[in-house]
Amino acid sequence: MWQEDLARNIKTADEIVGRLGASEKDAELIGKVCARYPVSVTEYYFDLINPDDPGDPISRIALPHIEELEESGEIYSGGEDVNTIIPGLQHKYGSTALLLTSDVCACYCRFCFRKRMVGMNESEACNDLSAACEYIARHPEINNVILSGGDGLMNSNDVLRHNFEMLGKLDQLEFIRIASRTPVVFPQRIYDDPELLDMLAEVAKRRQVYMVTHFNHHREFTPESKRAIDCLKKAGIALRNQTVLLAGVNDSFDALRRTLMGLANWGISPYYVFQCRPVRGVHGIFQVPLRSGIDLVETVKGSLPGISKQFRFVMSHGMGKIEILGLVGNGNTALFKFHRAKEPENNGLIFTEPIDDQQTWITIDGMV
Ligand code: SF4
């Protein structure tokens, strides 16, 4: 059973140090971070770490950083607090409801923008969607939902079945998106569970289901992950991917290019590259300055075939999803466009903002 596999996750400073070794001082620091934010790494994902590489991207993604204890930065990003209608339901854009169906993930990414809640705040998530479905039924403008979390695939199959049955009664929904990093960090949950795959196939027969995967580095493309992706395809699930631009992980030409090429190679459409959000415990470690991020993304795009560069480089902002279009003039100004605006009158609006070398985010009308 996948739950038994998860129970063997690496969660403590002692386990990390026992496997990778560390000085007494480092072990103490790791312990401090583990006490502040949950750490949990599947054995599968931990085994992808190259212990001989001090800059190993998998380690950087999954293992604690002392800088996580920095208190600067936002707790909520993208307006998640003000967009929450009832526990587990956010309604920011008219046609889309975002459902947080779990606060649990197979592996807690150190860069998570929901660091405030994953693994520690059930009150923001709701694994029974009954109340959310009642809200959606009262809002006929909602024509699609995103099942997110945490990771919804950490719910049992019984919970998933119940939720799919509830959503299945809402004729207004034209498609369902499931945002999950499970294919990356715990693919066994997918390929070892025929019951889950049969259920997804049944849902997909009646309504288009997209799984939005979350590959951030080409080292995450393994035979096990491929097996999970192939099972999802066989179940009729369409695949899209969102990647976060992460300092020290994929902020190099080679890493980003190989990641985007690898997605296309597996038949997963690169959907978004996200600017990492200014979140507490994250921004000082992982954010790439906007100017160098734009340079990198444009350089990488120039080397990619069209199918690998279908993505938009975006930031999830309190004002909406803002596409980062490029630099203008001498490079001290950046061009942006509202890809999806919280206020409908801003949809499609193109604007410029001055940026400096180190700037990683923009503030508009006091919002971040
Ligand atoms: S899987 Fe997603 S929600 Fe969970 S820790 Fe990683 S980024 Fe956050």
Side-chain angles (χ1 to χ4, degrees):
M1 284 287 284
W2 60 272
Q3 287 94 339
E4 288 161 14
D5 290 343
L6 270 194
R8 290 195 291 275
N9 272 14
I10 293 94
K11 295 183 174 174
T12 66
D14 283 350
E15 288 171 295
I16 295 168
V17 172
R19 287 177 182 237
L20 297 178
S23 68
E24 207 171 302
K25 183 161 173 278
D26 285 346
E28 193 188 327
L29 295 176
I30 293 170
K32 280 186 182 168
V33 182
C34 292
R36 173 74 178 84
Y37 294 111
V39 171
S40 187
V41 190
T42 56
E43 291 200 318
Y44 161 79
Y45 200 66
F46 200 99
D47 284 345
L48 299 185
I49 293 173
N50 174 1
D52 298 324
D53 177 3
D56 182 73
I58 306 297
S59 164
R60 207 165 152 74
I61 287 171
L63 299 186
H65 303 262
I66 188 63
E67 297 92 335
E68 291 178 52
L69 300 178
E70 284 286 328
E71 289 299 324
S72 63
E74 307 293 323
I75 297 174
Y76 291 91
S77 71
E80 293 218 307
D81 46 352
V82 293
N83 297 320
T84 296
I85 309 291
I86 52 174
L89 185 149
Q90 294 181 28
H91 193 191
K92 181 176 183 180
Y93 306 119
S95 61
T96 303
L98 175 68
L99 306 170
L100 305 189
T101 59
S102 168
D103 75 320
V104 178
C105 303
C107 172
Y108 295 118
C109 314
R110 309 325 296 165
F111 59 80
C112 181
F113 72 87
R114 295 203 181 111
K115 209 170 178 101
R116 65 177 191 274
M117 65 162 278
V118 291
M120 52 191 190
N121 186 356
E122 287 178 358
S123 66
E124 272 199 63
C126 182
N127 64 17
D128 177 351
L129 294 184
S130 308
C133 288
E134 282 172 25
Y135 175 87
I136 293 167
R138 291 198 305 275
H139 288 264
E141 74 275 18
I142 296 175
N143 61 23
N144 74 96
V145 294
I146 304 172
L147 304 184
S148 183
D151 194 319
L153 291 188
M154 290 300 96
N155 285 318
S156 69
N157 290 351
D158 286 345
V159 168
L160 286 168
R161 187 175 295 104
H162 170 73
N163 285 337
F164 284 130
E165 281 170 7
M166 300 284 304
L167 293 169
K169 291 177 189 158
L170 296 170
D171 290 338
Q172 69 203 79
L173 297 182
E174 295 182 28
F175 56 88
I176 294 171
R177 278 177 277 181
I178 303 170
S180 176
R181 216 165 119 73
T182 298
V184 181
V185 294
F186 190 33
Q188 298 78 5
R189 162 74 176 110
I190 295 168
Y191 68 69
D192 261 353
D193 192 343
E195 185 186 49
L196 170 71
L197 289 165
D198 288 347
M199 184 187 343
L200 291 173
E202 277 306 307
V203 178
K205 271 184 205 159
R206 297 191 296 274
R207 187 166 286 144
Q208 181 63 56
V209 178
Y210 292 87
M211 186 166 289
V212 183
T213 60
H214 192 169
F215 289 90
N216 287 312
H217 195 273
H218 56 87
R219 288 254 316 279
E220 295 174 332
F221 296 124
T222 65
E224 291 87 348
S225 237
K226 178 77 163 63
R227 196 170 153 196
I229 292 297
D230 287 345
C231 287
L232 292 168
K233 283 186 194 167
K234 204 167 161 198
I237 310 295
L239 294 158
R240 301 288 183 274
N241 186 77
Q242 49 196 29
T243 293
V244 187
L245 184 62
L246 297 167
V249 175
N250 55 19
D251 63 336
S252 69
F253 177 83
D254 183 62
L256 191 59
R257 183 177 185 281
R258 288 176 70 183
T259 305
L260 293 164
M261 281 299 288
L263 290 165
N265 188 12
W266 278 14
I268 306 172
S269 180
Y271 178 41
Y272 290 123
V273 171
F274 278 103
Q275 176 69 0
C276 181
R277 303 190 196 193
V279 165
R280 180 174 296 179
V282 172
H283 71 106
I285 309 166
F286 290 109
Q287 276 193 314
V288 176
L290 281 167
R291 192 183 288 168
S292 43
I294 292 169
D295 277 342
L296 174 65
V297 168
E298 286 308 313
T299 309
V300 170
K301 270 185 171 176
S303 76
L304 292 173
I307 203 95
S308 301
K309 58 178 172 186
Q310 298 175 78
F311 67 89
R312 293 170 197 268
F313 181 30
V314 295
M315 56 207 307
S316 269
H317 195 277
M319 299 282 285
K321 191 165 276 144
I322 297 175
E323 185 170 3
I324 306 165
L325 291 173
L327 296 171
V328 291
N330 59 5
N332 291 330
T333 303
L335 187 64
F336 301 93
K337 178 181 180 182
F338 276 101
H339 176 58
R340 196 132 200 232
K342 182 172 163 63
E343 304 304 332
E345 66 268 21
N346 287 334
N347 270 326
L349 188 74
I350 294 176
F351 61 98
T352 56
E353 284 283 321
I355 55 166
D356 64 39
D357 267 353
Q358 295 309 312
Q359 187 171 336
T360 52
W361 204 254
I362 56 171
T363 302
I364 310 171
D365 293 345
M367 292 183 84
V368 291

